Amino acid sequence: MSLYETRRKNNAIATGLAWLATAFGLFWLALILGALVYEGARGLSPAVFSQMTPPPGSQGGLSNAIAGSLLMSAIGVAIGTPLGMLAGTYLAEYGRHTKLAMIVRFINDILLSAPSIVIGLFVYEILVHPMGHFSAISGAVALSLLVVPVVLRTTEDMLLLVPGSMREAAAALGAPRALVIGKIAYRAAKAGLITGILLAVARVSGETAPLLFTALNNQFWSANLNAPMASLPVVIFQFALSPYKDWQQLAWTGALLITVAVLSLSIVARTLGAGRRKSR
Amino acid sequence: MTVVEPDRRERNGAMEVTDFALAQKITPAVIVDRPRALGRIALIDRIFHHLTRTAAIIVLIILGGVIVSLFRGALPAIKTFGFGFFTSQAWNPVNDNFGALPAMYGTIVTSIIAMLIAVPVGLGVATFLTELCPHPLRRPIGVAIELLAGIPSIIYGIWGLFVFAPFVQVHVQPALIAGFAGVPVLSNLFAGPPYGIGVLTASFILAIMVLPFIASISRDVFETVPTVLKEAATGIGCTTWEMMRHVVLPYSRVGVVGGVMLALGRALGETMAVTFVIGNAHKVSPSLLAPGTTISATIANEFTEAVGDIYTSALIELGLILFLITFMVLAMARYMLMRLERTSA
């Protein structure tokens, strides 16, 4: 076989494998989403949203878990967003080239992918253990620790996209740094900053591990932040591992709800972010 | 609003000059006193500067706090078991005897198998997306893969438990056991009854979970390769494969390795995708079909039910070990990605 033919053949094999790899990956991911929609949609009914998690063998829904997830995510984002945004602002504006900014950037990137279960253990050690009981507020704090790295990262990235000439123009008008940031940089990067927050919500709303031993679970409706609270992921975890058919069905339905919520949040975030990139 | 003289002089014509002192809605009395107004603005600036700096420092404190508090929580177990914790296979809550070996073994083995599957496939997907994919499909498939990277891991877990594990138990594992029965080493790897759940199943689900992650990072890294280099390779007659092999991969090597390590960090710490299907058996078993456990699965399953200080403390020490392992892997990954950014900038 000539060298030319061998090279052609090797190329055909390699590109064929790349096609195959893509087909393989998309096949499994489609299979998972297909099973999720098929199994989850069967259990969808108004009762899912209006009734509380049932004891085994009786009818019920997921209303308390949905409310708990919404509440804890909201508090988590409310705590984590300002912290992440301020720190991101420091990294992009005041301390762009300082040593502190470099270290924080590095540490933040690590926190971004750190195991979420460890964050759960951390919050258990600093909140649950001293308080003596599981509580919704410690669950929210655990989630906020996952929000911070996401918001910090996107805030910094988005502020860096704002052209320096805009800052210089504002400074030339005599605006001090804080005003340049607040009135120029934040406004120019608004869509991007909202993207970051939405991504953080998406990340947090599916997290199970940090809630397992902070907020624990609660079979009943509770708005008490000082008491255990149900959340969708933890209920899914508990119900899926149970031997009861109706609990398992609720777990599938809950999984579908979470996936739809997370996917639509990331699509909205992506559209906002895409608009930003185009206008650059 | 009363505006003082000097400002009015600047306001002739259509151009309106923004006075930042005015924009602050500071009362006219203060505007007359310009030094004081400026002083106030400078103060606001200083406060904002310190506020953002404090927030940045708090991020550092969080990381320090995680390490310190986990160490404090793990101290009773560290004192009790010492270095033997790493080599002991015991896991006996009744007489408070614990060892980390099975969990550490499970964590590392599942992650390695997952990476063995996910890295080649992920690189294949990235190659496809940057070089082979027809243009109209490029964006949709790329976006789909990025979206899938964001799906909560509990979804993979529940699918693994209800759909994948039963399928594997009936159709795959018996074939593996029978197929490798006579082969010297492999027969030990694929031995024992087909449970469906176990180390191999967990590894595979982990692989599917990190696959979108590896694919989208490698695609981003491949895209940093300058088009000129690729055109030059094609220009001297390279095939697509030769261009990938001799131009794209060498150029983006650091970034690809960084991305793979990042994915490894995810895989090591992943909890929910694994906990459902690993089987939670505290023993080191030579067979990949046997149930095992990982650090995160052990913590997720047992922490709320742990009674006694030593039991809790042993679980926290497991968490500390996990954190330190992933910290090192992630730090290495970030260092490599940073190096790539510096060279491509």
Side-chain angles (χ1 to χ4, degrees):
Chain A
M1 213 189 302
S2 72
L3 178 63
Y4 177 66
E5 273 170 15
T6 322
R7 289 177 54 207
R8 288 276 303 248
K9 205 186 73 196
N10 284 343
N11 185 49
I13 293 174
T15 50
L17 283 176
W19 276 90
L20 210 67
T22 311
F24 176 84
L26 289 179
F27 167 75
W28 289 108
L29 295 166
L31 208 64
I32 293 177
L33 288 183
L36 181 68
V37 171
Y38 176 74
E39 298 277 355
R42 280 198 304 198
L44 271 184
S45 68
V48 170
F49 301 98
S50 63
Q51 291 183 21
M52 289 191 288
T53 46
S58 56
Q59 291 292 312
L62 296 163
S63 65
N64 53 336
I66 296 172
S69 267
L70 288 177
L71 186 62
M72 282 190 288
S73 303
I75 298 176
V77 171
I79 301 174
T81 304
L83 188 59
M85 265 182 72
L86 284 174
T89 307
Y90 181 77
L91 262 53
E93 301 283 346
Y94 284 113
R96 198 180 287 190
H97 302 293
T98 58
K99 216 170 208 141
L100 174 67
M102 263 183 60
I103 299 172
V104 171
R105 204 170 286 138
F106 192 72
I107 296 299
N108 186 68
D109 279 350
I110 288 172
L111 284 177
L112 197 62
S113 338
S116 54
I117 194 158
V118 172
I119 301 294
L121 281 179
F122 169 57
V123 173
Y124 176 88
E125 275 295 297
I126 61 163
L127 280 182
V128 180
H129 193 62
M131 282 163 79
H133 58 89
F134 300 103
S135 64
I137 191 71
S138 48
V141 168
L143 293 182
S144 77
L145 292 181
L146 297 170
V147 169
V148 171
V150 182
V151 174
L152 195 161
R153 185 70 196 267
T154 38
T155 303
E156 192 200 353
D157 287 353
M158 292 303 153
L159 286 179
L160 287 180
L161 283 182
V162 176
S165 52
M166 279 171 77
R167 290 193 189 87
E168 284 159 14
L173 290 174
R177 209 68 187 273
L179 271 184
V180 175
I181 297 168
K183 297 240 144 99
I184 308 293
Y186 276 171
R187 276 200 195 167
K190 199 163 94 192
L193 298 179
I194 296 172
T195 303
I197 298 171
L198 287 178
L199 285 177
V201 178
R203 160 101 201 263
V204 153
S205 49
E207 278 293 350
T208 320
L211 293 177
L212 279 176
F213 24 80
T214 51
L216 202 68
N217 198 352
N218 191 337
Q219 211 175 335
F220 303 103
W221 188 279
S222 161
N224 183 359
L225 289 179
N226 202 22
M229 187 180 279
S231 63
L232 264 182
V234 176
V235 167
I236 294 172
F237 181 57
Q238 189 199 342
F239 281 16
L241 285 172
S242 77
Y244 313 110
K245 271 275 169 286
D246 36 1
W247 272 21
Q248 292 176 356
Q249 178 56 55
L250 275 176
W252 273 113
T253 309
L256 180 64
L257 291 180
I258 287 190
T259 312
V260 170
V262 169
L263 283 185
S264 33
L265 272 173
S266 11
I267 288 171
V268 173
R270 180 167 291 276
T271 341
L272 273 175
R276 168 89 202 88
R277 232 166 280 141
K278 233 169 270 163
S279 68
R280 176 157 46 130
Chain B
M1 204 184 291
T2 48
V3 181
V4 283
E5 258 328 291
D7 290 304
R8 184 161 292 167
R9 251 180 285 137
E10 288 164 27
R11 291 199 167 197
N12 47 1
M15 276 282 285
E16 192 173 303
V17 178
T18 310
D19 185 325
F20 282 99
L22 267 181
Q24 284 291 296
K25 294 196 178 64
I26 298 169
T27 51
V30 185
I31 296 178
V32 178
D33 192 359
R34 265 194 102 70
R36 240 179 83 194
L38 286 176
R40 180 173 294 192
I41 290 173
L43 180 70
I44 294 172
D45 196 28
R46 254 206 318 281
I47 293 173
F48 194 59
H49 187 161
H50 283 291
L51 210 62
T52 57
R53 213 176 111 107
T54 315
I57 293 171
I58 288 176
V59 174
L60 290 186
I61 295 175
I62 291 175
L63 183 95
V66 171
I67 296 175
V68 168
S69 72
L70 287 186
F71 186 76
R72 219 188 49 197
L75 213 55
I78 296 174
K79 272 187 194 143
T80 315
F81 305 113
F83 191 73
F85 192 66
F86 294 96
T87 52
S88 163
Q89 276 207 50
W91 195 264
N92 194 338
V94 180
N95 50 23
D96 273 347
N97 189 10
F98 301 100
L101 188 65
M104 284 169 64
Y105 171 83
T107 302
I108 291 166
V109 167
T110 49
S111 299
I112 289 177
I113 300 177
M115 298 315 277
L116 284 180
I117 301 171
V119 170
V121 177
L123 290 180
V125 175
T127 310
F128 175 82
L129 281 177
T130 49
E131 304 300 334
L132 305 171
C133 185
H135 259 281
L137 284 179
R138 206 164 277 195
R139 245 186 82 75
I141 296 186
V143 170
I145 282 181
E146 277 171 38
L147 287 180
L148 288 166
I151 287 187
S153 55
I154 193 165
I155 308 298
Y156 294 91
I158 188 173
W159 176 80
L161 179 69
F162 288 123
V163 182
F164 188 63
F167 174 82
V168 168
Q169 182 174 23
V170 179
H171 297 286
V172 180
Q173 290 185 344
L176 282 176
I177 295 168
F180 291 111
V183 190
V185 182
L186 294 177
S187 64
N188 290 329
L189 279 183
F190 301 103
Y195 291 110
I197 56 174
V199 174
L200 190 63
T201 311
S203 311
F204 190 78
I205 287 171
L206 211 48
I208 301 175
M209 206 203 85
V210 294
L211 174 63
F213 197 68
I214 296 181
S216 67
I217 286 195
S218 324
R219 188 202 51 182
D220 291 347
V221 169
F222 285 169
E223 275 172 359
T224 63
V225 180
T227 323
V228 189
L229 285 185
K230 295 202 264 184
E231 281 168 354
T234 326
I236 58 166
C238 285
T239 60
T240 309
W241 161 242
E242 285 162 347
M243 183 190 76
M244 287 305 295
R245 170 78 189 75
H246 297 292
V247 177
V248 175
L249 271 181
Y251 185 90
S252 54
R253 192 183 58 228
V254 186
V256 169
V257 174
V260 167
M261 304 262 283
L262 212 57
L264 177 64
R266 288 256 162 126
L268 286 168
E270 180 44 50
T271 312
M272 282 305 146
V274 173
T275 307
F276 279 100
V277 288
I278 188 88
N280 307 310
H282 279 281
K283 61 173 202 269
V284 177
S285 166
S287 170
L288 295 180
L289 303 184
T293 191
T294 67
I295 293 179
S296 47
T298 306
I299 301 173
N301 271 316
E302 301 181 23
F303 196 79
T304 42
E305 282 146 29
V307 279
D309 286 345
I310 292 292
Y311 194 0
T312 312
S313 175
L315 287 169
I316 293 178
E317 189 178 352
L318 277 182
L320 180 65
I321 295 170
L322 176 66
F323 190 65
L324 294 178
I325 296 176
T326 48
F327 185 90
M328 279 187 292
V329 171
L330 292 172
M332 235 136 64
R334 286 300 174 186
Y335 176 72
M336 287 174 146
L337 287 172
M338 265 181 174
R339 249 177 63 189
L340 177 86
E341 262 166 40
R342 224 169 290 148
T343 52
S344 71

